[in-house]
Amino acid sequence: MPFLGQDWRSPGWRWVKTEDGWKQCESFSPAIEDGNSQLNDISHTVILTGDDEDEEIYSTEDCELAAKKRKKDHFRNNTDSQCFYREKWIYVHKESTRERHGYCTLGEAFNRLDFSSAIQDIRRFNYVVKLLQLIAKSQLTSLSGAAQKNYFNILDKIVRKVMEDQYNPRLIKDLLQDLSSTLCILIRGVGKSVLVGNINIWICRLETILLWQQQLKNLQMNKQVNNGLTLSDLPLHMLNNILYRFSDGWDIITLGQVTPTLYMLSEDRQLWKKLCQYHFAEKQFCRHLIPSEKGHIDWKLMYFALQKYYPIKEQYGDTLHFCRHCSILFWKDTGHPCTASDPNTCLMPVSPQHFIDLFKF
């Protein structure tokens, strides 16, 4: 090796060979480079004059340290340079090799994959919200400071989208409830748990979450004025087919509140039986049989009772995929540079829980 040092493979550093050996050069944004040119005009010694006109001379080493600190502070305070990656795929490495230093963490993956744009895609919206909910429950403290900041920025965009489009507010209410419960526990236990940043920042974030919850609570659904064909005009068999397409019991109940006809169809025993059979194995719901007053099995109550004991199947319009051949995580429709002879045989859909499990070491 011509040189040694920490993170010498990092793309953020550049090394230049000189007569005295290899020297490290720092690369920053154009705004910082302009500041660097001003700093470089400073001579190797700095003379400071006080009230008593005594001169204090700093060595070249002290000057370089001060210059680095100023550049570092400028980089942190420059909002234009604070941005996150918008990559469509990332390489998931779990250990250090000669080619790669370190490993990929949950926070790094969360920052580098483009979740901010993913929430604008209705196919990926529920997937991202579920991922944020799982992180809120158990992985919030494992995120780095930058990842936590990115987490709340994405959450802010989600809330704004729901307030504007009124799309699936129930899902966001559940996410905010879990997040507020987690933050209350962490703030009360400060000192015992790891919270990156000042405690006042977290209190401010908690207050913002409570404000979002109040806004969603007061959200009024806009009535669409349409003189054409409506849902109520469809024949019964088509309405019934729509209900059988749902995989979430709460969606069935919500749709049943629209009209008396839909309410009657949403109470169909066969509908709830099919839902139980889809989400749970026969052995599971046989242990929790709930008979009705007429002696029949109450499949609707069965569904919500079984939810407390067993996880339900999750359905998403689009998910992240993992290539076992390349160890790359990516959105399926964007693809990735795969070197396998038959890439489709190497693909594996990644659920939100599997996404988190990928980065557990």
Side-chain angles (χ1 to χ4, degrees), residues 61-305:
E61 219 173 280
D62 293 334
C63 176
E64 289 178 354
L65 288 174
K68 284 184 178 180
K69 186 178 186 303
R70 283 194 295 272
K71 287 185 285 185
K72 188 175 181 181
D73 292 340
H74 182 82
F75 179 75
R76 286 180 174 176
N77 295 329
N78 185 8
T79 54
D80 294 335
S81 64
Q82 293 178 356
C83 61
F84 297 100
Y85 296 92
R86 291 181 176 270
E87 299 180 17
K88 302 300 181 182
W89 56 268
I90 61 169
Y91 177 80
V92 180
H93 53 288
K94 297 186 177 182
E95 58 184 9
S96 297
T97 63
R98 293 185 64 181
E99 292 76 20
R100 292 181 178 270
H101 179 71
Y103 52 87
C104 187
T105 63
L106 175 63
E108 182 182 355
F110 187 79
N111 278 344
R112 292 176 62 188
L113 286 169
D114 191 10
F115 288 110
S116 182
S117 298
I119 61 175
Q120 304 301 328
D121 190 336
I122 194 170
R123 299 171 303 164
R124 301 173 181 173
F125 182 82
N126 291 358
Y127 182 90
V128 177
V129 172
K130 182 63 177 179
L131 177 60
L132 263 62
Q133 188 174 13
L134 292 176
I135 292 176
K137 287 181 177 179
S138 60
Q139 301 295 322
L140 192 60
T141 55
S142 68
L143 298 180
S144 64
Q148 289 176 358
K149 182 178 179 180
N150 190 27
Y151 179 96
F152 283 96
N153 286 339
I154 293 175
L155 185 58
D156 180 48
K157 291 182 179 180
I158 289 175
V159 174
R160 290 183 183 181
K161 179 178 175 60
V162 172
M163 296 297 295
E164 293 173 2
D165 302 343
Q166 301 175 349
Y167 176 73
N168 210 343
R170 177 176 56 83
L171 193 64
I172 313 306
K173 289 178 182 178
D174 294 341
L175 165 60
L176 294 179
Q177 181 60 41
D178 291 335
L179 183 58
S180 62
S181 300
T182 301
L183 286 186
C184 286
I185 295 172
L186 293 175
I187 290 174
R188 284 199 299 265
V190 64
K192 300 178 183 178
S193 61
V194 180
L195 279 177
V196 180
N198 191 289
I199 186 63
N200 294 323
I201 296 176
W202 289 98
I203 293 175
C204 182
R205 285 173 176 171
L206 180 58
E207 291 174 350
T208 303
I209 293 170
L210 297 176
L211 177 62
W212 286 339
Q213 287 179 312
Q214 189 63 38
Q215 290 175 348
L216 290 173
K217 185 178 179 181
N218 299 331
L219 179 64
Q220 297 293 330
M221 299 301 237
N222 297 329
K223 292 184 179 181
Q224 296 183 355
V225 179
N226 191 354
N227 298 325
L229 189 67
T230 63
L231 191 65
S232 304
D233 298 325
L234 297 175
L236 289 179
H237 73 276
M238 293 187 67
L239 294 175
N240 205 37
N241 286 338
I242 293 174
L243 286 169
Y244 271 85
R245 298 283 181 178
F246 288 157
S247 61
D248 191 336
W250 283 110
D251 291 337
I252 295 176
I253 291 177
T254 303
L255 185 59
Q257 295 172 350
V258 176
T259 63
T261 303
L262 286 170
Y263 175 76
M264 177 192 67
L265 294 174
S266 68
E267 293 294 318
D268 182 23
R269 288 181 59 253
Q270 193 65 23
L271 172 65
W272 290 98
K273 181 179 179 180
K274 290 287 185 182
L275 197 62
C276 288
Q277 290 175 340
Y278 172 75
H279 286 289
F280 310 107
E282 186 176 353
K283 292 182 179 180
Q284 293 175 339
F285 58 74
C286 283
R287 298 173 185 172
H288 304 277
L289 292 177
I290 302 176
S292 62
E293 296 178 356
K294 297 180 181 180
H296 302 295
I297 298 175
D298 193 332
W299 292 103
K300 183 178 179 180
L301 291 179
M302 278 273 295
Y303 171 80
F304 291 105

Side-chain angles (χ1 to χ4, degrees), residues 39-59:
L39 293 174
N40 292 334
D41 293 338
I42 303 175
S43 61
H44 291 292
T45 59
V46 179
I47 302 176
L48 299 178
T49 305
D51 296 336
D52 55 355
E53 297 184 356
D54 290 337
E55 295 182 347
E56 189 174 1
I57 302 178
Y58 285 79
S59 65

